[in-house]
Amino acid sequence: MNKPVVPVDLRFDDDDGPLYVARKKVYPQSVSGTFRHIKWGLMAACLGLYYLLPFVRWNRGLGAPDQAVLIDFPNRRFYFFFIELWPQEIYYFTGLLILAAVALFLMNALGGRIWCGYLCPQTVWTDLFYAVERWTEGDRRERIKADMAPTTVNRLARRVLKHAIWLVIAWWTGGAWVLYFSDAPTLVKNFATFQAPTIAYVWIGILTTTTYLLAGHAREQVCVYMCPWPRIQAALTDEWALNVTYKYDRGEPRCSVKKAFDLRSLGETVGDCIDCNQCVAVCPTGIDIRDGAQLACIQCGLCIDACDTVMTKVGRPTRLIGYDNDINVQRRIAGQTEVFKPLRARTVVYAGVIATVCAVMLYALLTRSLLDLNVLHDRNPVAVRLSDGSIRNGYALRFLNKRGFDRVIAVDIDGPANAQIHIVGADSVTPDRPMIVLGRDSTTELRVLVTAPFDEKADKTVPVKFRVTDIGLGEVASAIDHFVLP
């Protein structure tokens, strides 16, 4: 008789378990220690920066926005304190993306998932939501006990309060993000009077919902199933990278405190781990670090604090769980000293790439021109023969004044012999050298006519160089096109 076929989406064969196990609710216990304090400090810094930065002011002169960090889509500008970027300077954002990626690689090479455990927005906001949950519903034991008991009025009131605070945090998170795209005080006032743009309310609703669901309900599932970084970093790590590690050379074999005392009295070898499961109780993803490296471990270090607390109480050395690597575990087993290599080819290359990109971006920023010129030749007609036999070409010149004040510029050309230039609609025109006034922090587009005598011996296409010069500052910008003969 043939063996019954088990659906492939449930089992590989008769002996394997299900591919996907239904979520088991995690109840992280509060803990105090070095890494918990680091996480509190980074959370305060990150959230404070995110929520308050839109309200920081920066004086850029009369008529310019005074918000320190502003993404101004209507005017196509990005402001970051003294830096103002235009759409043509999108390459700076490319550089920032490269820096972010390589910085992640460097963090991973030095200390594993530092980003995931301390700086990731999912981790930061989930930590904040857990703090609210503990404040309203109690710590691990109280929450487990309450979930197993029948619902009471007190329990229901605590849950309502918890979700209400979660929604307020999520709402302000979405609201703070929108404030980066408009003047923050003005937009807050418009929100209060229900006069803000509809799109602002829509985005606040979207971000409020996603923050509430991801930080309040999905929690560790985002890290385990939704985030691609755990899969990527596993391919980028090496044997020298420090990760949160259970030092099994010290911890095994496990036994209770009393039994360990008796065995040590008899001269037996006993591990320091007393199998108290405190490392599991405090883990925000609910894993057991003693099982080795795991995809779900975000390496937040809370298990280190929990284990250190227990080791101190039982009179054993701390850091049974700590930042370590398997090489050092094997070296200790062999009786050798520990070796750490923060400086190695991988980290040096990553640091070098970061330094190079930063240097290139800084140089480009310090030497960039605040006066720019773009030229577009007329397409139809390309050239016109005038009644006196001369040839005229038309161009559209776009002038970019990136400074915060008006300036007068002169326009010159190098091209066909005896060519004359005329700017249509110029504020000030002289016979020999056209001059125009450019408004501050703006783009000005004008039509330019270049006329030159007809020369039968000349090439059909002659290069022409347009050059603009700031009369007051002496800044120069140029662009090259062609003068076409019919």
Side-chain angles (χ1 to χ4, degrees), residues 122-167:
Q122 175 65 19
T123 298
V124 172
W125 265 275
T126 300
D127 254 3
L128 180 60
F129 276 44
Y130 270 136
V132 172
E133 188 173 59
R134 293 189 188 101
W135 180 72
T136 55
E137 296 186 327
D139 209 346
R140 173 183 167 85
R141 291 184 179 181
E142 289 81 0
R143 297 200 305 276
I144 294 176
K145 184 178 178 181
D147 283 351
M148 295 176 63
T151 302
T152 63
V153 174
N154 180 57
R155 171 65 173 164
L156 184 61
R158 288 174 177 268
R159 282 188 174 179
V160 170
L161 177 61
K162 177 186 73 174
H163 287 281
I165 297 175
W166 280 1
L167 284 170

mmCIF file of all heavy atoms in Angstrom, residues 122-167:
data_model
loop_
_atom_site.group_PDB
_atom_site.id
_atom_site.type_symbol
_atom_site.label_atom_id
_atom_site.label_comp_id
_atom_site.label_asym_id
_atom_site.label_seq_id
_atom_site.Cartn_x
_atom_site.Cartn_y
_atom_site.Cartn_z
ATOM 1 N N GLN A 122 12.142 49.880 13.730
ATOM 2 C CA GLN A 122 11.260 48.839 14.255
ATOM 3 C C GLN A 122 11.634 48.483 15.686
ATOM 4 O O GLN A 122 10.768 48.332 16.556
ATOM 5 C CB GLN A 122 11.329 47.591 13.363
ATOM 6 C CG GLN A 122 10.536 46.400 13.871
ATOM 7 C CD GLN A 122 9.041 46.628 13.897
ATOM 8 O OE1 GLN A 122 8.530 47.531 13.227
ATOM 9 N NE2 GLN A 122 8.322 45.818 14.663
ATOM 10 N N THR A 123 12.928 48.367 15.972
ATOM 11 C CA THR A 123 13.385 48.051 17.329
ATOM 12 C C THR A 123 13.084 49.194 18.293
ATOM 13 O O THR A 123 12.601 48.972 19.415
ATOM 14 C CB THR A 123 14.894 47.767 17.320
ATOM 15 O OG1 THR A 123 15.153 46.636 16.493
ATOM 16 C CG2 THR A 123 15.412 47.488 18.716
ATOM 17 N N VAL A 124 13.355 50.426 17.865
ATOM 18 C CA VAL A 124 13.169 51.581 18.743
ATOM 19 C C VAL A 124 11.704 51.756 19.116
ATOM 20 O O VAL A 124 11.356 51.900 20.304
ATOM 21 C CB VAL A 124 13.719 52.851 18.066
ATOM 22 C CG1 VAL A 124 13.362 54.090 18.881
ATOM 23 C CG2 VAL A 124 15.229 52.754 17.895
ATOM 24 N N TRP A 125 10.820 51.729 18.122
ATOM 25 C CA TRP A 125 9.406 51.939 18.428
ATOM 26 C C TRP A 125 8.789 50.734 19.146
ATOM 27 O O TRP A 125 7.935 50.906 20.006
ATOM 28 C CB TRP A 125 8.630 52.262 17.149
ATOM 29 C CG TRP A 125 8.492 53.729 16.935
ATOM 30 C CD1 TRP A 125 7.535 54.550 17.470
ATOM 31 C CD2 TRP A 125 9.340 54.597 16.171
ATOM 32 N NE1 TRP A 125 7.735 55.859 17.076
ATOM 33 C CE2 TRP A 125 8.830 55.918 16.268
ATOM 34 C CE3 TRP A 125 10.467 54.372 15.395
ATOM 35 C CZ2 TRP A 125 9.414 56.999 15.638
ATOM 36 C CZ3 TRP A 125 11.055 55.453 14.757
ATOM 37 C CH2 TRP A 125 10.537 56.744 14.878
ATOM 38 N N THR A 126 9.231 49.531 18.831
ATOM 39 C CA THR A 126 8.732 48.355 19.549
ATOM 40 C C THR A 126 9.156 48.416 21.009
ATOM 41 O O THR A 126 8.371 48.085 21.911
ATOM 42 C CB THR A 126 9.250 47.058 18.903
ATOM 43 O OG1 THR A 126 8.801 46.998 17.548
ATOM 44 C CG2 THR A 126 8.735 45.839 19.647
ATOM 45 N N ASP A 127 10.391 48.831 21.282
ATOM 46 C CA ASP A 127 10.848 49.020 22.660
ATOM 47 C C ASP A 127 9.961 50.021 23.391
ATOM 48 O O ASP A 127 9.612 49.823 24.563
ATOM 49 C CB ASP A 127 12.292 49.520 22.657
ATOM 50 C CG ASP A 127 13.274 48.439 23.081
ATOM 51 O OD1 ASP A 127 12.834 47.303 23.320
ATOM 52 O OD2 ASP A 127 14.483 48.715 23.164
ATOM 53 N N LEU A 128 9.623 51.102 22.715
ATOM 54 C CA LEU A 128 8.766 52.117 23.330
ATOM 55 C C LEU A 128 7.375 51.555 23.616
ATOM 56 O O LEU A 128 6.801 51.786 24.690
ATOM 57 C CB LEU A 128 8.669 53.332 22.404
ATOM 58 C CG LEU A 128 7.802 54.499 22.883
ATOM 59 C CD1 LEU A 128 8.324 55.045 24.206
ATOM 60 C CD2 LEU A 128 7.750 55.597 21.832
ATOM 61 N N PHE A 129 6.839 50.791 22.679
ATOM 62 C CA PHE A 129 5.513 50.194 22.885
ATOM 63 C C PHE A 129 5.542 49.163 24.005
ATOM 64 O O PHE A 129 4.582 49.043 24.777
ATOM 65 C CB PHE A 129 5.028 49.553 21.585
ATOM 66 C CG PHE A 129 4.363 50.522 20.645
ATOM 67 C CD1 PHE A 129 4.904 51.767 20.408
ATOM 68 C CD2 PHE A 129 3.191 50.189 19.980
ATOM 69 C CE1 PHE A 129 4.305 52.669 19.532
ATOM 70 C CE2 PHE A 129 2.570 51.071 19.116
ATOM 71 C CZ PHE A 129 3.132 52.319 18.891
ATOM 72 N N TYR A 130 6.647 48.407 24.122
ATOM 73 C CA TYR A 130 6.785 47.457 25.237
ATOM 74 C C TYR A 130 6.816 48.192 26.568
ATOM 75 O O TYR A 130 6.250 47.723 27.562
ATOM 76 C CB TYR A 130 8.068 46.645 25.072
ATOM 77 C CG TYR A 130 7.909 45.375 24.279
ATOM 78 C CD1 TYR A 130 8.843 45.015 23.306
ATOM 79 C CD2 TYR A 130 6.838 44.519 24.499
ATOM 80 C CE1 TYR A 130 8.719 43.856 22.566
ATOM 81 C CE2 TYR A 130 6.690 43.343 23.772
ATOM 82 C CZ TYR A 130 7.637 43.019 22.804
ATOM 83 O OH TYR A 130 7.492 41.858 22.083
ATOM 84 N N ALA A 131 7.495 49.337 26.619
ATOM 85 C CA ALA A 131 7.553 50.120 27.852
ATOM 86 C C ALA A 131 6.158 50.574 28.269
ATOM 87 O O ALA A 131 5.805 50.529 29.460
ATOM 88 C CB ALA A 131 8.480 51.318 27.665
ATOM 89 N N VAL A 132 5.362 51.003 27.304
ATOM 90 C CA VAL A 132 3.981 51.390 27.598
ATOM 91 C C VAL A 132 3.186 50.188 28.090
ATOM 92 O O VAL A 132 2.391 50.293 29.041
ATOM 93 C CB VAL A 132 3.324 52.003 26.344
ATOM 94 C CG1 VAL A 132 1.837 52.240 26.574
ATOM 95 C CG2 VAL A 132 4.015 53.301 25.954
ATOM 96 N N GLU A 133 3.380 49.042 27.460
ATOM 97 C CA GLU A 133 2.653 47.831 27.866
ATOM 98 C C GLU A 133 2.992 47.424 29.295
ATOM 99 O O GLU A 133 2.111 47.043 30.069
ATOM 100 C CB GLU A 133 2.982 46.702 26.899
ATOM 101 C CG GLU A 133 2.141 45.449 27.104
ATOM 102 C CD GLU A 133 2.378 44.426 26.007
ATOM 103 O OE1 GLU A 133 3.536 43.992 25.847
ATOM 104 O OE2 GLU A 133 1.413 44.065 25.314
ATOM 105 N N ARG A 134 4.272 47.498 29.653
ATOM 106 C CA ARG A 134 4.649 47.144 31.026
ATOM 107 C C ARG A 134 4.066 48.137 32.024
ATOM 108 O O ARG A 134 3.681 47.771 33.140
ATOM 109 C CB ARG A 134 6.172 47.107 31.152
ATOM 110 C CG ARG A 134 6.840 46.000 30.359
ATOM 111 C CD ARG A 134 8.321 45.889 30.715
ATOM 112 N NE ARG A 134 8.990 44.964 29.808
ATOM 113 C CZ ARG A 134 9.737 45.315 28.775
ATOM 114 N NH1 ARG A 134 9.902 46.605 28.504
ATOM 115 N NH2 ARG A 134 10.300 44.408 28.004
ATOM 116 N N TRP A 135 4.028 49.419 31.637
ATOM 117 C CA TRP A 135 3.505 50.438 32.546
ATOM 118 C C TRP A 135 2.007 50.274 32.783
ATOM 119 O O TRP A 135 1.520 50.499 33.891
ATOM 120 C CB TRP A 135 3.802 51.819 31.968
ATOM 121 C CG TRP A 135 3.305 52.940 32.831
ATOM 122 C CD1 TRP A 135 3.809 53.350 34.029
ATOM 123 C CD2 TRP A 135 2.174 53.784 32.557
ATOM 124 N NE1 TRP A 135 3.077 54.396 34.533
ATOM 125 C CE2 TRP A 135 2.056 54.678 33.641
ATOM 126 C CE3 TRP A 135 1.255 53.869 31.512
ATOM 127 C CZ2 TRP A 135 1.068 55.652 33.702
ATOM 128 C CZ3 TRP A 135 0.270 54.842 31.562
ATOM 129 C CH2 TRP A 135 0.179 55.720 32.651
ATOM 130 N N THR A 136 1.280 49.869 31.774
ATOM 131 C CA THR A 136 -0.179 49.748 31.895
ATOM 132 C C THR A 136 -0.638 48.366 32.361
ATOM 133 O O THR A 136 -1.623 48.253 33.092
ATOM 134 C CB THR A 136 -0.864 50.059 30.551
ATOM 135 O OG1 THR A 136 -0.309 49.207 29.533
ATOM 136 C CG2 THR A 136 -0.651 51.513 30.164
ATOM 137 N N GLU A 137 0.067 47.302 31.956
ATOM 138 C CA GLU A 137 -0.408 45.949 32.244
ATOM 139 C C GLU A 137 0.517 45.134 33.130
ATOM 140 O O GLU A 137 0.194 43.994 33.479
ATOM 141 C CB GLU A 137 -0.624 45.188 30.927
ATOM 142 C CG GLU A 137 -1.707 45.788 30.053
ATOM 143 C CD GLU A 137 -1.995 44.934 28.826
ATOM 144 O OE1 GLU A 137 -1.052 44.293 28.310
ATOM 145 O OE2 GLU A 137 -3.157 44.900 28.407
ATOM 146 N N GLY A 138 1.670 45.680 33.482
ATOM 147 C CA GLY A 138 2.577 44.947 34.350
ATOM 148 C C GLY A 138 3.652 44.219 33.565
ATOM 149 O O GLY A 138 3.662 44.208 32.334
ATOM 150 N N ASP A 139 4.564 43.584 34.316
ATOM 151 C CA ASP A 139 5.686 42.893 33.683
ATOM 152 C C ASP A 139 5.250 41.520 33.173
ATOM 153 O O ASP A 139 4.073 41.179 33.171
ATOM 154 C CB ASP A 139 6.831 42.761 34.678
ATOM 155 C CG ASP A 139 8.201 42.731 33.999
ATOM 156 O OD1 ASP A 139 8.242 42.549 32.769
ATOM 157 O OD2 ASP A 139 9.210 42.890 34.695
ATOM 158 N N ARG A 140 6.222 40.718 32.780
ATOM 159 C CA ARG A 140 5.981 39.438 32.107
ATOM 160 C C ARG A 140 4.970 38.568 32.849
ATOM 161 O O ARG A 140 3.980 38.113 32.268
ATOM 162 C CB ARG A 140 7.317 38.715 31.955
ATOM 163 C CG ARG A 140 7.216 37.287 31.431
ATOM 164 C CD ARG A 140 8.602 36.654 31.397
ATOM 165 N NE ARG A 140 8.526 35.222 31.205
ATOM 166 C CZ ARG A 140 8.429 34.612 30.025
ATOM 167 N NH1 ARG A 140 8.375 35.332 28.921
ATOM 168 N NH2 ARG A 140 8.385 33.302 29.960
ATOM 169 N N ARG A 141 5.180 38.315 34.127
ATOM 170 C CA ARG A 141 4.303 37.402 34.863
ATOM 171 C C ARG A 141 2.875 37.920 34.936
ATOM 172 O O ARG A 141 1.920 37.154 34.783
ATOM 173 C CB ARG A 141 4.857 37.174 36.270
ATOM 174 C CG ARG A 141 6.154 36.378 36.304
ATOM 175 C CD ARG A 141 6.590 36.114 37.719
ATOM 176 N NE ARG A 141 7.822 35.334 37.769
ATOM 177 C CZ ARG A 141 8.412 34.951 38.898
ATOM 178 N NH1 ARG A 141 7.888 35.278 40.073
ATOM 179 N NH2 ARG A 141 9.536 34.251 38.845
ATOM 180 N N GLU A 142 2.752 39.213 35.193
ATOM 181 C CA GLU A 142 1.409 39.792 35.290
ATOM 182 C C GLU A 142 0.667 39.682 33.956
ATOM 183 O O GLU A 142 -0.538 39.379 33.925
ATOM 184 C CB GLU A 142 1.490 41.256 35.720
ATOM 185 C CG GLU A 142 1.897 41.486 37.167
ATOM 186 C CD GLU A 142 3.393 41.388 37.380
ATOM 187 O OE1 GLU A 142 4.119 41.132 36.393
ATOM 188 O OE2 GLU A 142 3.844 41.556 38.528
ATOM 189 N N ARG A 143 1.373 39.901 32.850
ATOM 190 C CA ARG A 143 0.704 39.842 31.547
ATOM 191 C C ARG A 143 0.321 38.401 31.182
ATOM 192 O O ARG A 143 -0.756 38.159 30.638
ATOM 193 C CB ARG A 143 1.626 40.437 30.463
ATOM 194 C CG ARG A 143 1.932 41.910 30.675
ATOM 195 C CD ARG A 143 2.400 42.587 29.406
ATOM 196 N NE ARG A 143 3.536 41.930 28.787
ATOM 197 C CZ ARG A 143 4.807 42.131 29.124
ATOM 198 N NH1 ARG A 143 5.093 42.962 30.121
ATOM 199 N NH2 ARG A 143 5.788 41.508 28.498
ATOM 200 N N ILE A 144 1.209 37.452 31.471
ATOM 201 C CA ILE A 144 0.878 36.046 31.191
ATOM 202 C C ILE A 144 -0.317 35.605 32.032
ATOM 203 O O ILE A 144 -1.256 34.963 31.529
ATOM 204 C CB ILE A 144 2.100 35.150 31.475
ATOM 205 C CG1 ILE A 144 3.224 35.455 30.489
ATOM 206 C CG2 ILE A 144 1.707 33.684 31.399
ATOM 207 C CD1 ILE A 144 4.500 34.682 30.755
ATOM 208 N N LYS A 145 -0.285 35.962 33.309
ATOM 209 C CA LYS A 145 -1.371 35.585 34.200
ATOM 210 C C LYS A 145 -2.691 36.216 33.779
ATOM 211 O O LYS A 145 -3.749 35.565 33.781
ATOM 212 C CB LYS A 145 -1.020 36.005 35.627
ATOM 213 C CG LYS A 145 -2.044 35.585 36.670
ATOM 214 C CD LYS A 145 -1.582 35.999 38.071
ATOM 215 C CE LYS A 145 -2.638 35.611 39.109
ATOM 216 N NZ LYS A 145 -2.205 36.025 40.478
ATOM 217 N N ALA A 146 -2.630 37.496 33.368
ATOM 218 C CA ALA A 146 -3.843 38.193 32.956
ATOM 219 C C ALA A 146 -4.422 37.599 31.676
ATOM 220 O O ALA A 146 -5.642 37.502 31.513
ATOM 221 C CB ALA A 146 -3.558 39.677 32.775
ATOM 222 N N ASP A 147 -3.551 37.194 30.728
ATOM 223 C CA ASP A 147 -4.032 36.621 29.475
ATOM 224 C C ASP A 147 -4.666 35.254 29.677
ATOM 225 O O ASP A 147 -5.541 34.836 28.901
ATOM 226 C CB ASP A 147 -2.880 36.501 28.475
ATOM 227 C CG ASP A 147 -2.521 37.837 27.847
ATOM 228 O OD1 ASP A 147 -3.284 38.811 28.069
ATOM 229 O OD2 ASP A 147 -1.496 37.934 27.146
ATOM 230 N N MET A 148 -4.242 34.545 30.722
ATOM 231 C CA MET A 148 -4.805 33.216 30.995
ATOM 232 C C MET A 148 -6.084 33.294 31.812
ATOM 233 O O MET A 148 -6.866 32.343 31.843
ATOM 234 C CB MET A 148 -3.770 32.358 31.732
ATOM 235 C CG MET A 148 -2.522 32.051 30.922
ATOM 236 S SD MET A 148 -1.283 31.134 31.842
ATOM 237 C CE MET A 148 -2.175 29.604 32.169
ATOM 238 N N ALA A 149 -6.323 34.414 32.490
ATOM 239 C CA ALA A 149 -7.492 34.573 33.350
ATOM 240 C C ALA A 149 -8.642 35.211 32.577
ATOM 241 O O ALA A 149 -8.434 35.823 31.522
ATOM 242 C CB ALA A 149 -7.128 35.425 34.560
ATOM 243 N N PRO A 150 -9.861 35.077 33.068
ATOM 244 C CA PRO A 150 -11.014 35.727 32.419
ATOM 245 C C PRO A 150 -10.854 37.246 32.414
ATOM 246 O O PRO A 150 -10.235 37.830 33.314
ATOM 247 C CB PRO A 150 -12.199 35.297 33.287
ATOM 248 C CG PRO A 150 -11.731 34.069 34.001
ATOM 249 C CD PRO A 150 -10.263 34.248 34.223
ATOM 250 N N THR A 151 -11.415 37.890 31.399
ATOM 251 C CA THR A 151 -11.323 39.347 31.275
ATOM 252 C C THR A 151 -12.151 40.021 32.357
ATOM 253 O O THR A 151 -13.313 39.676 32.589
ATOM 254 C CB THR A 151 -11.808 39.798 29.895
ATOM 255 O OG1 THR A 151 -11.031 39.160 28.893
ATOM 256 C CG2 THR A 151 -11.669 41.301 29.745
ATOM 257 N N THR A 152 -11.524 40.982 33.020
ATOM 258 C CA THR A 152 -12.214 41.768 34.039
ATOM 259 C C THR A 152 -12.285 43.222 33.596
ATOM 260 O O THR A 152 -11.637 43.625 32.626
ATOM 261 C CB THR A 152 -11.474 41.676 35.384
ATOM 262 O OG1 THR A 152 -10.162 42.247 35.224
ATOM 263 C CG2 THR A 152 -11.330 40.222 35.839
ATOM 264 N N VAL A 153 -13.082 44.004 34.339
ATOM 265 C CA VAL A 153 -13.216 45.420 34.007
ATOM 266 C C VAL A 153 -11.863 46.119 34.138
ATOM 267 O O VAL A 153 -11.483 46.943 33.299
ATOM 268 C CB VAL A 153 -14.265 46.083 34.918
ATOM 269 C CG1 VAL A 153 -14.295 47.599 34.672
ATOM 270 C CG2 VAL A 153 -15.638 45.477 34.700
ATOM 271 N N ASN A 154 -11.134 45.787 35.187
ATOM 272 C CA ASN A 154 -9.814 46.405 35.393
ATOM 273 C C ASN A 154 -8.866 46.048 34.256
ATOM 274 O O ASN A 154 -8.137 46.905 33.735
ATOM 275 C CB ASN A 154 -9.242 45.940 36.724
ATOM 276 C CG ASN A 154 -7.877 46.546 36.999
ATOM 277 O OD1 ASN A 154 -7.713 47.769 37.020
ATOM 278 N ND2 ASN A 154 -6.890 45.692 37.207
ATOM 279 N N ARG A 155 -8.880 44.768 33.889
ATOM 280 C CA ARG A 155 -8.018 44.314 32.794
ATOM 281 C C ARG A 155 -8.399 44.998 31.487
ATOM 282 O O ARG A 155 -7.542 45.431 30.718
ATOM 283 C CB ARG A 155 -8.139 42.797 32.671
ATOM 284 C CG ARG A 155 -7.480 42.200 31.446
ATOM 285 C CD ARG A 155 -5.994 42.357 31.453
ATOM 286 N NE ARG A 155 -5.370 41.637 30.360
ATOM 287 C CZ ARG A 155 -4.128 41.833 29.937
ATOM 288 N NH1 ARG A 155 -3.375 42.739 30.531
ATOM 289 N NH2 ARG A 155 -3.626 41.127 28.953
ATOM 290 N N LEU A 156 -9.689 45.125 31.216
ATOM 291 C CA LEU A 156 -10.153 45.774 29.991
ATOM 292 C C LEU A 156 -9.758 47.248 29.975
ATOM 293 O O LEU A 156 -9.342 47.778 28.940
ATOM 294 C CB LEU A 156 -11.669 45.618 29.879
ATOM 295 C CG LEU A 156 -12.304 46.152 28.602
ATOM 296 C CD1 LEU A 156 -11.748 45.436 27.376
ATOM 297 C CD2 LEU A 156 -13.826 46.015 28.660
ATOM 298 N N ALA A 157 -9.864 47.911 31.128
ATOM 299 C CA ALA A 157 -9.497 49.321 31.205
ATOM 300 C C ALA A 157 -8.009 49.508 30.936
ATOM 301 O O ALA A 157 -7.594 50.459 30.254
ATOM 302 C CB ALA A 157 -9.863 49.878 32.575
ATOM 303 N N ARG A 158 -7.187 48.600 31.468
ATOM 304 C CA ARG A 158 -5.746 48.690 31.226
ATOM 305 C C ARG A 158 -5.430 48.508 29.742
ATOM 306 O O ARG A 158 -4.556 49.179 29.194
ATOM 307 C CB ARG A 158 -5.016 47.630 32.058
ATOM 308 C CG ARG A 158 -4.975 47.939 33.553
ATOM 309 C CD ARG A 158 -4.366 46.775 34.325
ATOM 310 N NE ARG A 158 -4.259 47.079 35.739
ATOM 311 C CZ ARG A 158 -3.185 47.622 36.312
ATOM 312 N NH1 ARG A 158 -2.127 47.927 35.566
ATOM 313 N NH2 ARG A 158 -3.157 47.866 37.594
ATOM 314 N N ARG A 159 -6.113 47.570 29.102
ATOM 315 C CA ARG A 159 -5.884 47.346 27.670
ATOM 316 C C ARG A 159 -6.289 48.558 26.846
ATOM 317 O O ARG A 159 -5.588 48.951 25.907
ATOM 318 C CB ARG A 159 -6.665 46.122 27.213
ATOM 319 C CG ARG A 159 -6.023 44.801 27.575
ATOM 320 C CD ARG A 159 -6.750 43.660 26.928
ATOM 321 N NE ARG A 159 -6.077 42.389 27.153
ATOM 322 C CZ ARG A 159 -6.510 41.223 26.705
ATOM 323 N NH1 ARG A 159 -7.640 41.162 26.010
ATOM 324 N NH2 ARG A 159 -5.845 40.111 26.954
ATOM 325 N N VAL A 160 -7.432 49.132 27.176
ATOM 326 C CA VAL A 160 -7.891 50.325 26.450
ATOM 327 C C VAL A 160 -6.881 51.454 26.610
ATOM 328 O O VAL A 160 -6.548 52.153 25.637
ATOM 329 C CB VAL A 160 -9.286 50.748 26.944
ATOM 330 C CG1 VAL A 160 -9.662 52.115 26.364
ATOM 331 C CG2 VAL A 160 -10.338 49.713 26.563
ATOM 332 N N LEU A 161 -6.370 51.642 27.833
ATOM 333 C CA LEU A 161 -5.381 52.695 28.073
ATOM 334 C C LEU A 161 -4.112 52.420 27.260
ATOM 335 O O LEU A 161 -3.541 53.340 26.654
ATOM 336 C CB LEU A 161 -5.059 52.762 29.568
ATOM 337 C CG LEU A 161 -3.966 53.773 29.967
ATOM 338 C CD1 LEU A 161 -4.379 55.191 29.587
ATOM 339 C CD2 LEU A 161 -3.673 53.673 31.466
ATOM 340 N N LYS A 162 -3.679 51.155 27.242
ATOM 341 C CA LYS A 162 -2.477 50.807 26.492
ATOM 342 C C LYS A 162 -2.634 51.136 25.015
ATOM 343 O O LYS A 162 -1.766 51.787 24.415
ATOM 344 C CB LYS A 162 -2.173 49.322 26.665
ATOM 345 C CG LYS A 162 -0.977 48.834 25.850
ATOM 346 C CD LYS A 162 -0.807 47.327 25.929
ATOM 347 C CE LYS A 162 -1.875 46.594 25.128
ATOM 348 N NZ LYS A 162 -1.632 45.135 25.084
ATOM 349 N N HIS A 163 -3.726 50.694 24.424
ATOM 350 C CA HIS A 163 -3.922 50.920 22.993
ATOM 351 C C HIS A 163 -4.128 52.403 22.689
ATOM 352 O O HIS A 163 -3.735 52.871 21.611
ATOM 353 C CB HIS A 163 -5.105 50.100 22.486
ATOM 354 C CG HIS A 163 -4.818 48.628 22.392
ATOM 355 N ND1 HIS A 163 -4.111 48.083 21.349
ATOM 356 C CD2 HIS A 163 -5.114 47.599 23.230
ATOM 357 C CE1 HIS A 163 -3.992 46.780 21.525
ATOM 358 N NE2 HIS A 163 -4.593 46.454 22.664
ATOM 359 N N ALA A 164 -4.733 53.130 23.621
ATOM 360 C CA ALA A 164 -4.910 54.568 23.418
ATOM 361 C C ALA A 164 -3.546 55.265 23.371
ATOM 362 O O ALA A 164 -3.293 56.117 22.502
ATOM 363 C CB ALA A 164 -5.773 55.155 24.534
ATOM 364 N N ILE A 165 -2.650 54.895 24.287
ATOM 365 C CA ILE A 165 -1.307 55.494 24.283
ATOM 366 C C ILE A 165 -0.552 55.071 23.028
ATOM 367 O O ILE A 165 0.157 55.887 22.408
ATOM 368 C CB ILE A 165 -0.537 55.088 25.552
ATOM 369 C CG1 ILE A 165 -1.248 55.627 26.794
ATOM 370 C CG2 ILE A 165 0.898 55.602 25.497
ATOM 371 C CD1 ILE A 165 -0.628 55.171 28.110
ATOM 372 N N TRP A 166 -0.682 53.811 22.632
ATOM 373 C CA TRP A 166 -0.043 53.358 21.393
ATOM 374 C C TRP A 166 -0.494 54.189 20.203
ATOM 375 O O TRP A 166 0.312 54.587 19.366
ATOM 376 C CB TRP A 166 -0.384 51.891 21.148
ATOM 377 C CG TRP A 166 0.433 50.914 21.939
ATOM 378 C CD1 TRP A 166 1.407 51.212 22.843
ATOM 379 C CD2 TRP A 166 0.340 49.492 21.890
ATOM 380 N NE1 TRP A 166 1.924 50.060 23.376
ATOM 381 C CE2 TRP A 166 1.303 48.985 22.801
ATOM 382 C CE3 TRP A 166 -0.450 48.597 21.180
ATOM 383 C CZ2 TRP A 166 1.475 47.617 23.009
ATOM 384 C CZ3 TRP A 166 -0.276 47.235 21.379
ATOM 385 C CH2 TRP A 166 0.686 46.754 22.287
ATOM 386 N N LEU A 167 -1.802 54.444 20.125
ATOM 387 C CA LEU A 167 -2.334 55.211 18.999
ATOM 388 C C LEU A 167 -1.831 56.656 19.019
ATOM 389 O O LEU A 167 -1.560 57.241 17.969
ATOM 390 C CB LEU A 167 -3.869 55.177 19.014
ATOM 391 C CG LEU A 167 -4.499 53.870 18.546
ATOM 392 C CD1 LEU A 167 -5.995 53.863 18.826
ATOM 393 C CD2 LEU A 167 -4.247 53.653 17.042
#
